[in-house]
Amino acid sequence: MDQATKRELLDKDRQRVWHPFTQMKDYARQDHLLIEKAEGIFLYDADGNRYYDTVSSWWVNVHGHGHPRIKQAIIRQLEETDHIMFSGFTHRPGIELADKLLAIAPPGLGKTFYSDNGSTAVEVALKMSFQYWRHVGRPSKTKFAYLANSYHGDTLGAVSVGGVDLFHATFRPLLFDGYRLPSPLVGEWSGGRPTPEAAETSVAKALEAVKQLFETSAGEIAGLIVEPMIQAAGGMLMHPAAYIAGLRELCSRYDVHLIADEVAVGFGRTGTMFACEHAHVTPDLLCLSKGLTAGMMPLAATLCTDAIYEAFYDDYETQKTFFHGHSFTGNPLACAVALESLRIFEEEGVLDNVRAASDALRGHLPGLETFRHVANMRHLGLVAAFDLYADAASQTPYPPSERRGYQVYLEALKEGLILRPLGDTIYYWLPHCTTVAQLEDIVSRTSSVLERLGYR
Amino acid sequence: MDQATKRELLDKDRQRVWHPFTQMKDYARQDHLLIEKAEGIFLYDADGNRYYDTVSSWWVNVHGHGHPRIKQAIIRQLEETDHIMFSGFTHRPGIELADKLLAIAPPGLGKTFYSDNGSTAVEVALKMSFQYWRHVGRPSKTKFAYLANSYHGDTLGAVSVGGVDLFHATFRPLLFDGYRLPSPLVGEWSGGRPTPEAAETSVAKALEAVKQLFETSAGEIAGLIVEPMIQAAGGMLMHPAAYIAGLRELCSRYDVHLIADEVAVGFGRTGTMFACEHAHVTPDLLCLSKGLTAGMMPLAATLCTDAIYEAFYDDYETQKTFFHGHSFTGNPLACAVALESLRIFEEEGVLDNVRAASDALRGHLPGLETFRHVANMRHLGLVAAFDLYADAASQTPYPPSERRGYQVYLEALKEGLILRPLGDTIYYWLPHCTTVAQLEDIVSRTSSVLERLGYR
């Protein structure tokens, strides 16, 4: 791209675009990075600089950018139908994807309801759960339980079950009330990586809080929502699978829907196709998006049990219809892409590569742990994270005004690396196509950045 | 498609898919229509039957299905980038579309914030308005005013400002409180089409209710949200432009944001590019989706004034960031499609065709009005609607259990016509490519359906 065009575009960007989750004043004196090519794990800016997309473009990309089979799937679908409405009408990609998702999801889920993004997948789950209890004669079950540090999206229903005050506290007067449960393991890390015994104690404590809540209040709780295995936007906080297994057991015992929000963690990112598999658990409602289309375009799905579906299935006059829908529900292009992505998973041994990359990643992390200001290294599948501390031993944080994570982000860009932080937490959220050699390079570049910024 | 494949797909559909806004038991003994081809205004099912898509596939399609320039725009974009994150990064189609939208929108809007669908476009507007008042030191402005019969989407924030009880009443315990204002003109139609004098009186009355509310409560109202010119899902209820002009005047006088939800009515459907143009009004926040991508794939935008944007623009530490975002924000494919659609508008005289088709449509409607059970014919641009009554003169409705609108829908399918009803309201929501000859055919087929069902 010539420099005049580049300058013109970036000026227009500053003048016309309000970017998401961004304090725009951060870009008063620096430009957004103008990307003009994307291939595999790499993004290329308008000056030809190359960047490792170590966050999979906000956790969505799966098989790398520009995968030829994904592109071909779109072109093929364009020759059949573009978008057609999905109420009264149906189409092959929408049907086949629904069927395929239920075939690979944890056993016991029966129906697929489409929407457009993670927030709407969660809103659908909340509304289904809420309405279900009305239909089965338990209308007092109207509230939801959720975890501290959870993030489930930015529409106001999803915000109501969010536990990250930075994102959500402002909107309090617009939110419905719920029960906030403690996040497992948080605050239990003091002094470094938790021992197996400490982890077990933490899980027991967190589950005890759930049990106590259900004991007194299950009669008014419709569902409990959780991000299985990793609370992602809340700081890449990981918990043992035993916590999810425990939630399943308690939800079943006390008649509360278990809603698994796998928008971020689904589709192989944790090493298994779905994160619930680590705990051998089937939720009552499963929310999917992001990786569903291999990161190509918006699509979401909420999978539910037949028991939930059947509570809505009745003569029209009984007014049990689930009145929810979005214009582009079941978009055929997006469904065709998602189907092709699942075929790639099967035919190209994607989960095998995830496991190999995950093992290699694990091998490299101790090198990063040698940095004096790095603590709480955690890792699952293609996700790894650590926190920066002024003093790691006592876990004394840096003053927030220093924005250490953000400084790492800026410095990493110079190193050809996208290390998008969450506060002072630095993480990788790698695409499934990452090779062992790329991993080595990524970790080595991360070391250089930390070295230069004086974290040794 | 061979019959075995067709049967297999439809069985899977019934077994696996939960369709939006659908009582699935309605399909216990009939299949969803399996569409396998879409071209221009027509959909084709798996048996080769052809249907006029008179509802533009849920109000999204613009230039007809399978428009070659739209398909080419996708294929071109696939050669540049697939999806990349839009925070910290930017790209040509996202910038150019933001710029273009602001260039064609009513004057005075300054920034574009992307999301994925109509519901999220509305949620963004509500959250921006709410947070704006906090930043300018008026934190008591936390509530929203909305109209009876309004529909703004299905996420719980959007549902909270919805005025159609059939869709929304169930979820009351999850909704925030607001002020429901009377819908202009509703109930004023008794006896047929309103005279200009009756319309003027109705508008004055509806605006008086707004004024009274603002007089007592503007200090706690952040914004008023309205679907300009047509309350669509609420029953295709139309109001004069004077109502929107009056709202603008009152909102300005009492310091309340005017939020125009043009998700359905935007992009030429009412005869002007945006419905607000009928009233020569610029809202503070403008919500767009559906026709934005010519109906190809999900994308939404919320346009706002620079005054709103500037209230969020500050040092990071002041905590004024708008923490909202969706993974696929600014999806490059969708932006590229939207840009191409706007080029088609300019280069192919689309609005001229809309006006010609609208004129032809107006000429044909009196024929439908001769039916004894048809009343309240209304028309604007490519939208026309009428209601079925047991006795039209006294506006006595049919018993809801007879589902008259639904019967018309089923019968119309046999006539190769998609007449999706809203209760007993039958409407057209035609794509911009509709020809005068097609219009004639559509109205004539509608007549046949009404004739056969005994509405003469």
Side-chain angles (χ1 to χ4, degrees):
Chain A
M1 191 180 292
D2 71 65
Q3 290 302 308
T5 311
K6 180 190 158 193
R7 194 63 263 153
E8 195 187 330
L9 281 170
L10 286 169
D11 288 345
K12 270 191 195 163
D13 184 80
R14 188 167 280 126
Q15 197 187 344
R16 293 312 207 179
V17 180
W18 189 343
H19 286 270
F21 266 87
T22 302
Q23 174 45 265
M24 293 299 289
K25 199 175 175 189
D26 282 351
Y27 292 89
R29 275 183 303 263
Q30 64 170 314
D31 293 316
H32 275 74
L33 269 184
L34 182 62
I35 300 300
E36 63 171 13
K37 197 176 110 184
E39 208 171 76
I41 196 176
F42 295 110
L43 305 182
Y44 298 83
D45 71 16
D47 297 323
N49 298 311
R50 194 188 78 169
Y51 304 88
Y52 277 105
D53 186 4
T54 72
V55 298
S56 299
S57 281
W58 256 357
W59 322 348
V60 301
N61 192 273
V62 171
H63 307 302
H65 291 280
H67 195 290
R69 287 182 63 176
I70 296 288
K71 295 202 292 198
Q72 272 315 115
I74 294 182
I75 293 168
R76 270 200 316 272
Q77 183 57 38
L78 284 172
E79 291 313 309
E80 296 194 14
T81 69
D82 52 10
H83 182 74
I84 57 160
M85 65 189 296
F86 207 57
S87 179
F89 302 84
T90 192
H91 47 71
R92 182 200 286 267
I95 298 168
E96 289 186 345
L97 179 61
D99 191 50
K100 186 73 191 163
L101 286 174
L102 291 162
I104 63 173
L109 293 165
K111 296 288 181 288
T112 296
F113 190 100
Y114 291 114
S115 64
D116 298 332
N117 61 34
S119 296
T120 59
V122 166
E123 297 258 349
V124 166
L126 297 174
K127 290 173 72 180
M128 272 185 185
S129 174
F130 177 93
Q131 195 171 339
Y132 168 87
W133 293 112
R134 313 214 126 195
H135 292 179
V136 300
R138 301 183 66 181
S140 64
K141 287 170 82 73
T142 62
K143 291 195 191 308
F144 292 91
Y146 62 95
L147 304 195
N149 302 310
S150 62
Y151 171 86
H152 298 292
D154 292 323
T155 52
L156 288 162
V159 171
S160 296
V161 293
V164 183
D165 285 335
L166 174 68
F167 304 155
H168 302 146
T170 304
F171 302 105
R172 175 50 46 204
L174 302 180
L175 309 182
F176 58 76
D177 277 336
Y179 295 103
R180 188 183 292 198
L181 289 159
S183 171
L185 275 194
V186 174
E188 308 291 329
W189 262 324
S190 300
R193 202 185 294 237
T195 61
E197 295 73 27
E200 206 176 304
T201 311
S202 283
V203 165
K205 208 167 114 186
L207 289 173
E208 182 57 30
V210 178
K211 183 168 174 249
Q212 280 179 21
L213 172 67
F214 285 2
E215 198 70 60
T216 58
S217 309
E220 55 181 47
I221 299 178
L224 179 152
I225 184 162
V226 65
E227 299 155 272
M229 303 307 290
I230 308 178
Q231 295 191 284
M236 298 297 161
L237 307 171
M238 301 181 185
H239 49 252
Y243 177 70
I244 299 301
L247 285 185
R248 174 69 280 177
E249 196 275 316
L250 288 168
C251 284
S252 297
R253 195 190 324 162
Y254 289 92
D255 254 2
V256 170
H257 288 141
L258 178 62
I259 304 171
D261 175 355
E262 294 218 18
V263 168
V265 295
F267 298 103
R269 204 74 60 164
T270 68
T272 53
M273 198 61 177
F274 299 103
C276 281
E277 293 172 35
H278 292 280
H280 308 289
V281 147
T282 300
D284 300 284
L285 292 145
L286 176 63
C287 305
L288 303 173
S289 186
K290 292 194 195 280
L292 171 56
T293 58
M296 175 55 90
M297 56 196 293
L299 180 69
T302 304
L303 277 52
C304 71
T305 59
D306 279 320
I308 290 176
Y309 175 82
E310 280 154 18
F312 293 74
Y313 188 93
D314 207 339
D315 295 324
Y316 185 83
E317 292 70 33
T318 60
Q319 300 205 315
K320 291 186 183 162
T321 304
F322 186 56
F323 280 117
H324 189 109
H326 301 280
S327 313
F328 291 101
T329 299
N331 181 255
L333 277 193
C335 289
V337 166
L339 274 168
E340 187 66 14
S341 171
L342 294 177
R343 279 183 215 114
I344 294 171
F345 265 98
E346 284 176 358
E347 294 164 17
E348 299 188 5
V350 170
L351 287 181
D352 292 337
N353 190 65
V354 167
R355 278 183 283 268
S358 178
D359 287 347
L361 178 57
R362 184 180 298 109
H364 287 302
L365 296 177
L368 294 174
E369 289 190 279
T370 62
F371 283 88
R372 199 154 51 89
H373 296 274
V374 163
N376 304 339
M377 183 66 74
R378 53 238 189 233
H379 166 240
L380 183 69
L382 293 168
V383 183
F386 58 86
D387 308 321
L388 294 175
Y389 281 106
D391 182 58
S394 65
Q395 304 232 330
T396 308
Y398 288 105
S401 62
E402 293 183 7
R403 302 180 72 188
R404 292 288 180 139
Y406 184 60
Q407 302 308 324
V408 169
Y409 169 72
L410 295 177
E411 193 64 27
L413 289 178
K414 300 179 198 157
E415 195 74 33
L417 207 58
I418 297 167
L419 285 185
R420 194 178 161 83
L422 290 159
D424 288 351
T425 298
I426 311 295
Y427 69 87
Y428 302 129
W429 189 282
L430 296 160
H432 303 15
C433 61
T434 312
T435 65
V436 170
Q438 286 168 344
L439 259 173
E440 196 166 331
D441 194 19
I442 288 167
V443 173
S444 149
R445 287 165 189 251
T446 307
S447 274
S448 303
V449 169
L450 295 176
E451 199 78 53
R452 273 213 299 284
L453 291 174
Y455 291 108
R456 172 62 70 195
Chain B
M1 192 180 293
D2 71 63
Q3 291 301 307
T5 312
K6 178 190 161 191
R7 193 63 262 151
E8 194 187 330
L9 280 171
L10 286 169
D11 287 347
K12 271 192 194 163
D13 184 79
R14 188 168 280 126
Q15 196 186 344
R16 293 311 207 178
V17 180
W18 189 343
H19 287 270
F21 266 86
T22 303
Q23 173 46 265
M24 294 299 290
K25 199 175 175 187
D26 282 351
Y27 292 89
R29 277 183 303 264
Q30 65 170 314
D31 293 316
H32 274 75
L33 268 184
L34 182 62
I35 300 300
E36 63 171 13
K37 197 176 111 184
E39 208 172 75
I41 196 176
F42 295 110
L43 305 182
Y44 297 84
D45 72 15
D47 296 323
N49 298 310
R50 194 188 77 168
Y51 304 89
Y52 276 104
D53 186 2
T54 73
V55 298
S56 299
S57 280
W58 255 358
W59 321 348
V60 301
N61 192 273
V62 171
H63 308 300
H65 290 280
H67 195 289
R69 288 182 62 174
I70 296 288
K71 295 202 291 199
Q72 271 314 114
I74 294 182
I75 293 168
R76 270 201 315 272
Q77 183 57 38
L78 284 172
E79 289 315 306
E80 294 193 17
T81 69
D82 52 10
H83 182 75
I84 57 158
M85 66 189 296
F86 206 56
S87 180
F89 302 84
T90 191
H91 47 70
R92 182 200 287 268
I95 297 168
E96 289 186 343
L97 178 61
D99 191 51
K100 186 74 192 163
L101 287 174
L102 291 162
I104 62 172
L109 294 165
K111 296 287 181 288
T112 297
F113 190 100
Y114 291 115
S115 65
D116 299 332
N117 61 33
S119 295
T120 59
V122 166
E123 298 258 349
V124 166
L126 298 175
K127 290 173 72 180
M128 273 186 185
S129 174
F130 177 91
Q131 194 171 338
Y132 168 87
W133 293 112
R134 314 213 125 197
H135 291 181
V136 300
R138 301 183 66 181
S140 63
K141 288 170 82 73
T142 60
K143 293 196 191 305
F144 292 92
Y146 62 94
L147 305 195
N149 302 310
S150 62
Y151 171 86
H152 298 290
D154 291 323
T155 53
L156 288 162
V159 171
S160 296
V161 292
V164 182
D165 285 336
L166 173 69
F167 304 154
H168 301 149
T170 305
F171 301 105
R172 175 51 46 204
L174 301 180
L175 309 182
F176 57 76
D177 276 337
Y179 294 104
R180 188 181 292 198
L181 289 159
S183 172
L185 276 192
V186 174
E188 308 291 328
W189 261 326
S190 301
R193 200 185 296 235
T195 61
E197 295 72 30
E200 204 176 307
T201 311
S202 283
V203 166
K205 207 168 114 187
L207 288 173
E208 182 58 28
V210 178
K211 183 167 174 252
Q212 280 179 21
L213 172 66
F214 285 1
E215 198 70 61
T216 58
S217 310
E220 54 180 48
I221 299 178
L224 179 153
I225 185 164
V226 64
E227 299 157 271
M229 304 305 292
I230 308 178
Q231 295 191 285
M236 299 296 162
L237 307 171
M238 300 182 188
H239 49 252
Y243 178 69
I244 299 302
L247 285 185
R248 174 68 280 179
E249 197 274 316
L250 288 169
C251 284
S252 297
R253 196 191 322 164
Y254 288 91
D255 255 2
V256 170
H257 288 141
L258 178 63
I259 305 171
D261 175 354
E262 295 218 17
V263 167
V265 294
F267 298 103
R269 205 73 61 166
T270 68
T272 52
M273 197 62 175
F274 299 103
C276 281
E277 293 172 36
H278 291 282
H280 309 289
V281 147
T282 300
D284 300 284
L285 292 146
L286 176 63
C287 305
L288 304 173
S289 187
K290 293 195 195 279
L292 172 56
T293 58
M296 174 57 87
M297 56 196 292
L299 180 68
T302 305
L303 277 51
C304 71
T305 60
D306 278 318
I308 291 176
Y309 174 81
E310 280 154 18
F312 293 73
Y313 188 92
D314 208 338
D315 296 324
Y316 185 83
E317 292 70 32
T318 61
Q319 301 205 314
K320 291 185 183 163
T321 305
F322 186 56
F323 281 116
H324 189 109
H326 301 281
S327 312
F328 291 101
T329 299
N331 181 255
L333 276 192
C335 288
V337 166
L339 273 168
E340 187 66 14
S341 171
L342 294 178
R343 280 184 214 114
I344 295 171
F345 265 98
E346 284 176 358
E347 294 164 17
E348 300 188 4
V350 170
L351 287 181
D352 293 337
N353 190 65
V354 167
R355 277 183 284 267
S358 177
D359 288 346
L361 178 56
R362 183 179 300 110
H364 288 301
L365 296 177
L368 294 175
E369 288 189 281
T370 62
F371 283 88
R372 199 156 51 91
H373 295 275
V374 164
N376 304 338
M377 182 66 75
R378 53 242 187 227
H379 164 243
L380 183 68
L382 293 167
V383 183
F386 59 84
D387 308 320
L388 295 173
Y389 282 106
D391 181 57
S394 65
Q395 304 234 329
T396 307
Y398 288 104
S401 62
E402 294 183 7
R403 301 181 73 188
R404 292 291 179 137
Y406 185 61
Q407 302 308 325
V408 169
Y409 169 72
L410 295 177
E411 193 65 28
L413 289 178
K414 300 180 199 157
E415 196 73 34
L417 207 56
I418 298 167
L419 285 185
R420 193 177 163 83
L422 290 160
D424 287 353
T425 298
I426 310 296
Y427 69 89
Y428 302 130
W429 188 282
L430 296 159
H432 303 16
C433 62
T434 313
T435 66
V436 170
Q438 286 168 343
L439 258 171
E440 196 166 333
D441 194 19
I442 288 166
V443 173
S444 147
R445 287 165 189 250
T446 307
S447 273
S448 304
V449 169
L450 295 176
E451 198 79 53
R452 275 213 300 282
L453 292 174
Y455 291 108
R456 173 60 71 196

